Amino acid sequence: MKIKLLFAIVVFPLLLLAQTPTDKTLATNDVTELKEKLQEHRSMLNQMEIKVIVMQKKLQGISSNLDAQIAVNKQLEEQLKSNLNLQAQNERAVNLAIDEFSKKFEDQNKTVEGVKAALEKQWAQQIMYYGIAIILFVVILLLSVKFSTAKALKQQQKSWNEFNEYIIKR
């Protein structure tokens, strides 16, 4: 009896732990549900992996576009810098030309002022010479008129005297 009791004690808990047929169908249903869920999750994972690949390709395309735009922007920036440098050089050249022109213009103005002063001095001298010449001409004319008048008077006087002598002698 001890053996039977011992056997019952050992087997009874095992029987309690054993699955019944309803447990088996439940477990099979649970396994199938889990397999379906696993299949759904795998398909979702596959879809997600496809989306990740598509996104990676889009990201690579965007990245290559950004790289191209950055390269274009760098080229434009370099061209802009070179254009700005060229414009700065042109401005410096124009400023130098303007400075030189202003110096030459000032020199020309000084030369013109010198020539103008010389011409004014020469004009004043010419007016003075013409004035002196006119005065001399008038003085000479007056003297010549005086002398010729005196000579004409003397000759007239002489002719008158001769006429009177001729008349008196007769």
Side-chain angles (χ1 to χ4, degrees):
M1 164 113 172
K2 277 185 171 183
I3 295 183
K4 285 185 182 183
L5 189 59
L6 186 63
F7 182 72
I9 292 175
V10 170
V11 172
F12 184 71
L14 290 176
L15 287 176
L16 288 177
L17 293 176
Q19 293 181 350
T20 61
T22 58
D23 287 341
K24 187 176 183 182
T25 57
L26 285 175
T28 310
N29 286 340
D30 287 344
V31 168
T32 14
E33 285 178 22
L34 288 175
K35 282 183 181 180
E36 287 175 2
K37 283 185 181 180
L38 181 65
Q39 187 64 31
E40 287 176 22
H41 288 297
R42 282 185 181 164
S43 68
M44 287 176 59
L45 181 65
N46 285 339
Q47 289 175 356
M48 292 296 175
E49 285 177 353
I50 290 171
K51 287 182 180 180
V52 165
I53 290 171
V54 168
M55 291 294 198
Q56 284 177 342
K57 287 182 180 179
K58 286 182 180 179
L59 183 63
Q60 286 175 350
I62 291 171
S63 175
S64 65
N65 285 342
L66 286 176
D67 289 341
Q69 286 179 351
I70 288 172
V72 167
N73 286 344
K74 282 184 181 180
Q75 288 176 348
L76 290 174
E77 184 178 325
E78 289 174 9
Q79 287 178 349
L80 180 63
K81 283 181 183 178
S82 66
N83 288 345
L84 288 175
N85 287 338
L86 182 62
Q87 184 178 3
Q89 289 175 354
N90 288 342
E91 284 181 15
R92 280 187 232 118
V94 166
N95 287 339
L96 288 174
I98 288 173
D99 288 342
E100 297 233 356
F101 178 74
S102 65
K103 286 179 185 176
K104 287 181 181 180
F105 188 71
E106 287 173 9
D107 290 342
Q108 279 183 340
N109 282 343
K110 287 178 184 177
T111 304
V112 166
E113 287 175 10
V115 168
K116 186 177 178 182
L119 287 175
E120 286 177 2
K121 183 179 175 184
Q122 188 178 11
W123 179 253
Q125 286 177 350
Q126 284 180 353
I127 288 176
M128 186 178 71
Y129 291 146
Y130 287 137
I132 290 172
I134 289 173
I135 291 172
L136 282 175
F137 177 73
V138 169
V139 168
I140 290 172
L141 186 62
L142 287 176
L143 287 176
S144 67
V145 166
K146 186 178 179 183
F147 287 127
S148 55
T149 306
K151 187 177 176 185
L153 280 175
K154 272 186 182 178
Q155 191 175 4
Q156 191 63 26
Q157 185 72 29
K158 186 178 173 188
S159 294
W160 181 257
N161 286 341
E162 285 178 2
F163 177 70
N164 280 338
E165 279 179 29
Y166 176 76
I167 290 196
I168 294 178
K169 286 189 186 182
R170 279 204 171 175

